[in-house]
Amino acid sequence: MAPFDPAHFVDDRPAEGVFRVHRDVYADPELFELEIKYIFERTWNFLTLETEIARPHDYITTWIGRTPIVVSRGGDGKIHAFLNACRHKGATVCRAEKGNAASHVCLYHGWAYDSTGANVGIRQRRAGDYPPSFDKDDHGLVRIARLDSYKGLIFGSLSPDVPPLHEHLGDLKFYIDLHMEQGPRGMEFIPGRVAYTYRGNWKMQLENGQDPYHVDTAHGSFAAVVARRRAGQGNVSALELDRSKRGQSLLGAFEFAHGHTATWQDVPEPERRVIFRSLDDVRARVGDIKAEWMIKQRNAVCFPNLQIADHIVPILRTFRPISVDVTELRSNVLAPIGEAPELRAARLRQFEDFVNPGGYATPDDVTLFGDCQTGFGSTGFDYLQGYSHGLAEAKRGPDETARAAGLEPLTSVAGLSAQNTELGTHAPLREWARLMRAGIEGRKAYE
Ligand code: FES
């Protein structure tokens, strides 16, 4: 690999209107190793929802980069997070994706831990078996350095040197509020989830959610199906928006600090949004501005591992980097706690129709991620040019839409002409370069 130079990999020259990215950012195994170390292991990562571990001893297993993590509600009712790696020889302690257990016993030699991660048993330990130095050690599962929540979303960091969570999230909190304030009793995941791996770098899915440019072409078959359904053909009653009117509604994007980014789009048929049916109640509870924003289609990235999307129904998606060209994606559908069964069914049908691996969008995207990954292996060209559409109209700071919502993005773009803006891909890549440079130069991630 060439000596690391952020200006080499992310060629970012705002004054000249240049933003282009070297294909190695998506394809170089050595850069991938550095990403794990200097990005995933040195910033906040989304872990799970508080409602996923509502009862004492509930737990889920997840990852920060390649580090296996358990998030557990202890018998004390508090939330704990620790490495899912036995202190004896490192074996996975909690093997299930989620469950309820007051204790966890390692399968290899039988060491036992309680739901706070504390060691509660070393099998066949008798007085005099171990030297005094061993007895003095803490044998509990290793706690992660930082753990905090915002509106029911739990985040963790392996590094203690991160800003407070609320500061790290910044104005992205508005997008989280729009998801998490929809239900009067809060929000929860609808039971079940979708998980799959695709052939492609983790940033492919991250950028895809901020890339309205691909929708008409990559998902053209879905638009055709929607048009036929709306003409009365087929036997599926779905709530898809009229894709033929997509070009008539305003679309915008914001670039926030810390790599977070978001798009929004007005919808021509608000009555087709699931939230519309309870909008009066929602408006009374959260106010006009948030209620109107809940109607908009939205797609945000909480860098580096979370997508907060509501282009069909509210979902959370996590990206887990497995190797430079293999990524695991998990999607969960959010719904108000206590929601009527028919509304919950409507959410699921919408999710299945578009986002499910067997739906109309995901096979298009993952096939194209693989095609891009093939292209990244080419010789003869270095820089990708897919970041500049809409750049000419971007402005520093908040635009009118941002100001009306009380947001202070670093950059904004909006308008009918912004339909296909690629601005939303910039913030994550800029943060990628910043964190990588800090790591390689031996500096803290946040100073
Ligand atoms: Fe867990 Fe040995 S590795 S008890």
Side-chain angles (χ1 to χ4, degrees):
M1 190 183 75
F4 184 81
D5 177 1
H8 172 67
F9 291 106
V10 178
D11 185 9
D12 180 15
R13 289 172 278 155
E16 297 164 56
V18 173
F19 194 101
R20 56 183 196 152
V21 177
H22 197 288
R23 61 188 169 82
D24 281 355
V25 168
Y26 307 90
D28 187 311
E30 290 184 70
L31 279 181
F32 178 81
E33 293 301 318
L34 297 177
E35 288 176 341
I36 295 292
K37 191 171 165 187
Y38 296 137
I39 296 177
F40 286 90
E41 296 179 3
R42 300 224 300 175
T43 190
W44 289 103
N45 286 246
F46 171 70
L47 299 177
T48 190
L49 283 191
E50 288 180 0
T51 47
E52 285 291 277
I53 50 168
R55 301 170 302 160
H57 310 307
D58 278 352
Y59 71 90
I60 65 99
T61 55
T62 186
W63 303 83
I64 295 179
R66 283 192 302 224
T67 302
I69 304 289
V70 180
V71 187
S72 170
R73 194 175 292 274
D76 55 5
K78 293 183 183 153
I79 296 171
H80 305 265
F82 37 83
L83 307 194
N84 193 6
C86 182
R87 293 303 298 276
H88 182 232
K89 284 287 186 74
T92 300
V93 176
C94 297
R95 302 169 66 82
E97 202 172 301
K98 60 188 294 189
N100 182 279
S103 63
H104 305 280
V105 179
C106 180
L107 276 181
Y108 202 173
H109 308 89
W111 283 28
Y113 305 90
D114 71 14
S115 56
T116 73
N119 187 300
V120 291
I122 292 178
R123 191 171 61 86
Q124 295 180 337
R125 182 183 194 176
R126 292 163 304 210
D129 276 359
Y130 288 94
S133 60
F134 179 90
D135 288 335
K136 278 190 216 146
D137 268 352
D138 176 5
H139 307 295
L141 296 172
V142 175
R143 289 176 176 278
I144 66 171
R146 298 287 295 277
L147 183 67
D148 204 352
S149 302
Y150 177 75
K151 291 281 168 82
L153 275 65
I154 303 173
F155 293 81
S157 170
L158 296 179
S159 165
D161 297 320
V162 287
L165 180 63
H166 71 90
E167 188 182 313
H168 173 76
L169 295 174
D171 275 352
L172 194 74
K173 293 198 289 285
F174 180 72
Y175 272 75
I176 295 175
D177 294 350
L178 297 174
H179 261 46
M180 301 307 290
E181 294 180 1
Q182 292 196 10
R185 293 164 49 199
M187 301 290 281
E188 64 183 358
F189 286 151
I190 294 179
R193 89 288 181 267
V194 163
Y196 55 89
T197 55
Y198 66 80
R199 187 174 78 85
N201 185 264
W202 60 278
K203 293 182 286 297
M204 296 303 295
Q205 178 61 51
L206 182 154
E207 292 179 17
N208 177 267
Q210 296 300 306
D211 168 15
Y213 193 25
H214 80 287
V215 173
D216 291 338
T217 44
H219 306 311
S221 59
F222 180 62
V225 167
V226 170
R228 286 198 290 275
R229 284 178 182 166
R230 292 176 69 102
Q233 297 176 35
N235 57 6
V236 174
S237 174
L239 290 166
E240 307 95 346
L241 302 170
D242 185 350
R243 302 243 151 199
S244 68
K245 293 184 180 153
R246 181 170 176 268
Q248 300 161 25
S249 51
L250 286 175
L251 184 145
F254 302 131
E255 177 186 19
F256 297 122
H258 295 143
H260 311 318
T261 187
T263 60
W264 58 268
Q265 183 164 22
D266 287 335
V267 298
E269 299 165 307
E271 69 281 2
R272 285 180 168 257
R273 300 282 276 157
V274 174
I275 186 76
F276 188 81
R277 305 180 198 188
S278 55
L279 197 61
D280 289 344
D281 290 344
V282 170
R283 193 186 297 279
R285 195 160 40 75
V286 305
D288 287 340
I289 291 174
K290 281 185 175 173
E292 293 304 320
W293 269 84
M294 286 176 186
I295 291 286
K296 293 180 195 290
Q297 289 183 300
R298 309 176 306 281
N299 210 324
V301 165
C302 185
F303 188 81
N305 78 326
L306 175 66
Q307 184 179 355
I308 306 165
D310 185 2
H311 44 300
I312 300 287
V313 290
I315 62 171
L316 296 182
R317 267 176 169 166
T318 52
F319 332 115
R320 176 161 76 93
I322 293 175
S323 67
V324 71
D325 58 359
V326 178
T327 305
E328 182 196 72
L329 195 69
R330 284 175 185 251
S331 300
N332 287 90
V333 183
L334 278 163
I337 295 170
E339 183 183 46
E342 61 272 20
L343 289 181
R344 193 157 284 208
R347 284 175 197 274
L348 283 173
R349 298 297 85 79
Q350 289 296 94
F351 177 82
E352 291 159 358
D353 201 40
F354 193 71
V355 187
N356 225 30
Y360 280 101
T362 296
D364 300 333
D365 287 331
V366 297
T367 300
L368 292 163
F369 297 162
D371 288 353
C372 292
Q373 206 68 34
T374 299
F376 299 150
S378 309
T379 58
F381 82 109
D382 288 330
Y383 287 96
L384 305 164
Q385 300 175 344
Y387 311 89
S388 298
H389 204 284
L391 203 56
E393 296 189 59
K395 57 175 289 188
R396 296 301 297 166
D399 60 9
E400 195 181 315
T401 307
R403 267 193 291 273
L407 304 176
E408 294 280 344
L410 301 173
T411 314
S412 313
V413 68
L416 291 175
S417 56
Q419 287 284 336
N420 293 320
T421 184
E422 292 170 328
L423 178 77
T425 59
H426 292 199
L429 289 160
R430 284 193 174 124
E431 184 68 354
W432 180 94
R434 191 191 72 76
L435 288 169
M436 292 283 272
R437 177 160 54 184
I440 285 181
E441 292 178 355
R443 292 184 284 108
K444 289 185 175 180
Y446 301 91
E447 292 177 312

